[in-house]
Amino acid sequence: MPPVLAYARSRRSRPDSAPCVYREGIAESLDFPDASFDTVVTSLMLHHLPEELRPAALREMYRVLRPGGRLLVVEFRPPKSRIGRRLVHGGVAHAMAHNRVDLLETLVTDVGFELNGRGAVRPWLTYVRARRRR
């Protein structure tokens, strides 16, 4: 089991909330039945996929969500400052330097999601919230 999943599973949910279940899989070929999840969160993962696989991964997220289910996509936002670009382009985070976050909304809506929020968490993150159509 990857360490991040072991850590997440070791954390207790708040007593007044529904239990959280963590699953792992191959993003473009999830081994779960249709409409089996209420929420899908992809955090800092899409930029690791080749650009041509990203739509397939999002289609799979759509498929496994129940109608009305929620999607949250969080990704690195390439830095805009000269110093930030120099640090990132210097080899520290190649995938982050070339991450096309400007395409996130289009990728999400092209597979059928209904966009219902977007924003940034400064200085490095951007997010898109969406729902599967009912």
Side-chain angles (χ1 to χ4, degrees):
M1 173 184 330
V4 72
L5 288 179
Y7 174 79
R9 289 175 179 147
S10 74
R11 308 293 295 173
R12 294 185 187 263
S13 297
R14 292 188 347 233
D16 61 336
S17 67
C20 192
V21 177
Y22 299 94
R23 303 279 178 100
E24 65 180 295
I26 297 170
E28 65 276 13
S29 179
L30 297 174
D31 190 22
F32 304 109
D34 294 356
S36 56
F37 293 96
D38 296 317
T39 303
V40 170
V41 176
T42 174
S43 178
L44 310 177
M45 181 279 297
L46 279 180
H47 69 274
H48 289 287
L49 294 178
E51 282 192 38
E52 64 273 9
L53 289 182
R54 294 173 190 176
L58 287 162
R59 278 192 299 275
E60 280 292 278
M61 293 174 206
Y62 187 91
R63 181 187 66 76
V64 301
L65 271 173
R66 292 183 178 106
R70 298 173 297 167
L71 172 72
L72 175 63
V73 178
V74 181
E75 273 299 322
F76 285 117
R77 184 177 49 80
K80 294 182 181 182
S81 73
R82 186 172 2 142
I83 292 170
R85 284 192 310 271
R86 180 166 284 186
L87 287 171
V88 169
H89 287 279
V92 175
H94 178 76
M96 182 178 158
H98 302 287
N99 194 14
R100 296 288 314 271
V101 294
D102 58 309
L103 300 177
L104 276 180
E105 291 176 31
T106 301
L107 285 168
V108 166
T109 56
D110 281 356
V111 300
F113 284 103
E114 195 172 89
L115 192 67
N116 66 359
R118 62 183 164 268
V121 180
R122 303 268 179 218
W124 303 110
L125 303 176
T126 190
Y127 65 88
V128 172
R129 290 187 333 247
R131 284 196 180 272
R132 178 178 168 166
R133 298 180 190 279
R134 294 191 181 267

